Amino acid sequence: MMRVASYNMRKAIGTDRRRRPERTLEVLRELDADVIALQEADRRFGSRASAMPLSLIEEHSDYKPVPLGARSGSLGWHGNALLVKKHVEVIDKELVHLPSLEPRGAVLADLKVNGMELRVVGMHLDLSGLWRRRQAHAILAHLDARDGEPPTVLMGDLNEWSVRGGCLREFGHRHRIAECGRSFHARRPIAQLDRIMVSEALEIVESGAHQSATARKASDHLPIWAELRPL
């Protein structure tokens, strides 16, 4: 069994408009997932430093960032980052360029979780439906081009308001989509913008949106999670 999660942390700015990285970290601790895909993990301007100080993560949680090496002081790339429990082995990692009008990308890591190899992709897709579909094609093509076919988890903020259409149709041809429920807006969720999708080698045992009091304040998105096991 393993637990994965995805969280658009909104640069650690809560629904009270205050930037409180300690509060964001508390949500991550509540999730207690083996692997977490983050979106909007870095500040948007200037040096684009991590919205959560790296020292805060290392000293006050069981997590470590996958070292993407995209920019000094940043947690991720184009805001996308992957955190893993400290016992998880990082075998390989890669930045995935996505077609877009504004800078967009995805992050990929090959991991060993509880003795099992796992490929994880974290993403934050475009607001435009046309570009989302193109980005889905790019991610799937990139997966096809990589060596091996380990069990794979794709997760992130897809910005897809449709329940089954749009880019979900592209991903759904070869992946199961977890029923995590509505995650946006955190105070009163009305849309399933955040998604976890898995390859056929994985079973989705349980999934949902994390709705603690802290999570409802820490971002405008609720984090989502899924319990998985190999078939």
Side-chain angles (χ1 to χ4, degrees):
M1 289 283 289
M2 69 184 73
R3 183 179 177 93
V4 301
S6 179
Y7 189 26
N8 184 330
M9 54 176 277
R10 200 194 184 194
K11 307 174 188 67
I13 300 174
T15 53
D16 57 3
R17 301 184 181 179
R18 296 180 179 179
R19 189 188 302 276
R20 293 183 57 191
E22 297 86 357
R23 180 170 56 187
T24 302
L25 190 64
E26 177 59 30
V27 175
L28 301 183
R29 286 195 294 252
E30 290 175 354
L31 285 167
D32 195 28
D34 296 294
V35 184
I36 302 178
L38 296 175
Q39 303 86 52
E40 298 192 25
D42 297 326
R43 295 173 185 256
R44 186 172 183 180
F45 302 108
S47 64
R48 298 184 183 179
S50 172
M52 282 192 300
L54 299 180
S55 60
L56 182 69
I57 299 171
E58 294 169 355
E59 296 172 14
H60 298 283
S61 78
D62 293 330
Y63 291 103
K64 62 182 179 182
V66 172
L68 300 168
R71 185 187 296 267
S72 177
S74 296
L75 188 61
W77 188 56
H78 295 310
N80 294 289
L82 295 171
L83 295 181
V84 298
K85 285 288 185 71
K86 290 178 179 177
H87 70 268
V88 173
E89 179 185 353
V90 179
I91 301 170
D92 194 11
K93 74 274 189 184
E94 188 174 3
L95 308 179
V96 183
H97 294 268
L98 298 182
S100 61
L101 291 176
E102 61 178 9
R104 292 272 179 177
V107 292
L108 180 150
D110 287 340
L111 309 169
K112 184 167 284 188
V113 185
N114 301 330
M116 175 183 171
E117 290 191 12
L118 184 72
R119 180 163 290 165
V120 177
V121 178
M123 68 189 81
H124 189 181
L125 301 189
D126 206 276
L127 294 172
S128 160
L130 174 62
W131 285 107
R132 283 197 299 274
R133 291 191 294 274
R134 290 176 178 174
Q135 290 162 0
H137 278 295
I139 291 167
L140 294 171
H142 191 86
L143 289 173
D144 287 340
R146 284 189 64 88
D147 293 336
E149 295 183 6
T152 302
V153 178
L154 296 82
M155 50 186 172
D157 179 356
L158 272 57
N159 270 318
E160 182 61 71
W161 288 76
S162 170
V163 176
R164 296 183 180 86
C167 68
L168 292 176
R169 186 178 295 112
E170 312 299 329
F171 287 120
H173 288 312
R174 292 183 293 171
H175 297 84
R176 298 184 180 91
I177 302 175
E179 293 295 334
C180 295
R182 299 170 181 176
S183 58
F184 181 84
H185 186 280
R187 284 184 172 176
R188 184 175 294 179
I190 61 171
Q192 301 180 57
L193 301 188
D194 304 278
R195 298 283 184 165
I196 295 174
M197 303 165 287
V198 305
S199 64
E200 294 181 354
L202 292 168
E203 177 188 1
I204 301 167
V205 178
E206 193 174 359
S207 59
H210 182 68
Q211 301 193 45
S212 71
T214 305
R216 287 193 292 269
K217 294 179 181 178
S219 170
D220 56 351
H221 286 247
L222 294 172
I224 58 172
W225 57 271
E227 298 276 359
L228 309 174
R229 67 183 171 203
L231 288 173

